[in-house]
Amino acid sequence: MNTESYSLEALTNLKYQRLNACAELQRRTDRRLVFARSEALELLAIEKPVEPEAERRRKDMDVVVASAGEKTHIEGVRFLRWSGPITTILINRTAECTTPVCTWAHYGAILPLEELVVLGDAMMRRNQHLARAEMGDFIAYLEHARQFSGIRNCKMAVRLMREGTDSSQETRTRLALQRYGLPEPLVNYPVRLDNGRTALLDMAIPELRIAIEYDGAYHRSSSDQVLRDDKRREALERLGWIYIKVTLLDLGDEHSEGELAQRVATACESVLGVPVPLTARMTMREVCDARRTKGKPLWERVPRQRWIARWVHL
């Protein structure tokens, strides 16, 4: 499945296609329909995670209800009972769906933990035209909910979710590195260039001046964009940053992600002057556990004088 990120224009087009389909379905019944899961994501113009195959193949639209007794037969509808708080929003005065955070929680029972983190990040984009929620909204929902299917996954996902990301592939890159015990990169880290401009790095380990950038379809959309990216890279390298480019080929299977993690570890070694061994690939649950019990970061385990000289001569 293609996991390249959707543009605002593409998400908006998808929204209006779904809005028309939901409006047509609502006209066929007198009962109130609250659309959920995939339909809600499209109505809200939120980038989708990688859903289970059965979900991607289904044709009926998901509608949420609070009790089994509310389920009826409507052609083209799959009723989903939800025991958590059902919060809703009306889209363009036409179709009602679950709110972003309620939709995210509804996915807790069917998504792998990694994709639940990806979905949460997608709702908190740096681009305000794509931002649909803040971290506090997720925390408040979970505190208010007593119990629902998937709540444990949701509580674990919140620990790894980050505000201000730009794409789902950046989130997957960040999580892939953490699976191998590497320090979590900071997202959208600002660096002042020698021309006075500020570059926002997709991800960075600033203590070691390591930049990690995801190169998606947008970056290859024109020769001018490629040239701008090259100039940006050169400007960062003049300041002593190590630049690591990530593409779709670096993600998606354990072997590729392991090789990517080794590239980052090698970059860390070149700065610190000591070996940076990777851990065995962890599950996402283990990554969450490791966050609670982690020791000192790499740059605090090595005497500063052994690697700070790298910056003195820049």
Side-chain angles (χ1 to χ4, degrees), residues 13 39 90 100 112 120 128 142-143 145 158 168 194 217 220 243 250 272 308:
N13 290 339
E39 282 66 40
L90 187 63
Q128 290 304 301
L142 293 176
E143 288 178 346
V158 163
S168 294
D194 50 15
R220 302 184 297 274
Y243 188 98
D250 295 308
L272 295 170
I308 194 64

Side-chain angles (χ1 to χ4, degrees), residues 31 64-72 79-83 86:
R31 69 169 294 174
V64 66
V65 293
S67 65
E70 295 180 59
K71 293 182 179 182
T72 58
F79 285 100
L80 300 173
R81 180 178 176 275
W82 181 240
S83 57
I86 299 177

Side-chain angles (χ1 to χ4, degrees), residues 4 25 113-114 134 151 166 186 188 192 240 263 270:
E4 289 284 12
L25 184 57
L113 185 54
E114 177 177 1
E134 298 177 353
I151 191 171
D166 286 325
L186 300 185
N188 278 309
R192 184 110 171 149
R263 284 168 56 200
S270 71

Side-chain angles (χ1 to χ4, degrees), residues 7-296:
S7 66
L8 174 60
E9 180 181 4
L11 290 170
T12 301
N13 290 339
L14 193 58
K15 167 186 173 177
Y16 284 103
Q17 291 175 24
R18 180 56 64 188
L19 192 63
N20 290 335
C22 290
E24 176 60 30
L25 184 57
Q26 181 65 79
R27 284 192 287 268
R28 289 171 27 209
T29 179
D30 293 331
R31 69 169 294 174
R32 167 192 174 220
L33 300 179
V34 177
F35 296 96
R37 283 192 187 161
S38 183
E39 282 66 40
L41 291 181
E42 292 181 0
L43 288 170
L44 293 163
I46 293 171
E47 187 176 345
K48 291 183 183 180
V50 177
E51 298 176 303
E53 184 178 357
E55 292 296 309
R56 299 198 302 267
R57 294 176 60 183
R58 67 177 175 80
K59 296 181 179 179
D60 293 341
M61 286 195 255
D62 281 339
V63 169
V64 66
V65 293
S67 65
E70 295 180 59
K71 293 182 179 182
T72 58
H73 176 72
I74 300 178
E75 186 177 355
V77 169
R78 178 176 70 168
F79 285 100
L80 300 173
R81 180 178 176 275
W82 181 240
S83 57
I86 299 177
T87 54
T88 69
I89 184 171
L90 187 63
I91 305 297
N92 287 43
R93 302 181 181 180
T94 301
E96 189 174 8
C97 68
T98 50
T99 59
V101 174
C102 183
T103 304
W104 169 81
H106 212 161
Y107 269 101
I110 67 170
L111 283 183
L113 185 54
E114 177 177 1
E115 288 302 306
L116 194 58
V117 174
V118 167
L119 177 57
D121 277 13
M123 295 180 176
M124 300 187 289
R125 288 285 184 250
R126 179 171 63 94
N127 184 336
Q128 290 304 301
H129 294 294
L130 294 172
R132 301 289 181 265
E134 298 177 353
M135 184 63 75
D137 300 325
F138 295 93
I139 295 172
Y141 186 91
L142 293 176
E143 288 178 346
H144 180 65
R146 293 182 179 179
Q147 190 62 254
F148 58 81
S149 179
I151 191 171
R152 184 184 177 195
N153 269 356
C154 289
K155 288 181 176 180
M156 297 187 80
V158 163
R159 300 176 196 162
L160 297 176
M161 287 159 41
R162 296 292 176 264
E163 293 180 316
T165 58
D166 286 325
S167 77
S168 294
Q169 289 298 77
E170 291 175 19
T171 299
R172 293 184 180 102
T173 299
R174 187 178 82 239
L175 297 178
L177 299 179
Q178 290 179 262
R179 281 183 182 272
Y180 292 92
L182 290 169
E184 177 186 352
L186 300 185
V187 301
N188 278 309
Y189 184 79
V191 175
R192 184 110 171 149
L193 302 179
D194 50 15
N195 61 7
R197 296 180 180 178
T198 298
L200 280 180
L201 306 181
D202 292 344
M203 289 155 281
I205 305 175
E207 293 82 357
L208 305 183
R209 293 194 193 181
I210 295 174
I212 305 165
E213 299 262 85
Y214 183 79
D215 185 10
Y218 166 74
H219 293 271
R220 302 184 297 274
S221 60
S222 70
S223 57
D224 287 344
Q225 183 60 48
V226 172
L227 181 60
R228 284 193 293 270
D229 288 346
D230 288 343
K231 293 296 184 183
R232 168 189 169 97
R233 175 173 185 165
E234 290 170 3
L236 287 167
E237 290 177 338
R238 281 197 300 272
L239 294 175
W241 283 80
I242 298 173
Y243 188 98
I244 297 174
K245 182 172 76 172
V246 182
T247 70
L248 185 62
L249 297 177
D250 295 308
L251 302 173
D253 64 71
E254 293 186 15
H255 178 73
S256 298
E257 291 180 358
E259 289 188 335
L260 170 62
Q262 186 57 64
R263 284 168 56 200
V264 175
T266 300
C268 293
E269 291 173 357
S270 71
V271 178
L272 295 170
V274 296
V276 178
L278 300 176
T279 66
R281 182 181 172 89
M282 292 186 280
T283 66
M284 290 310 302
R285 291 185 182 277
E286 289 172 331
V287 172
C288 287
D289 290 339
R291 288 178 55 78
R292 291 198 299 268
T293 58
K294 66 180 180 181
K296 291 183 178 179

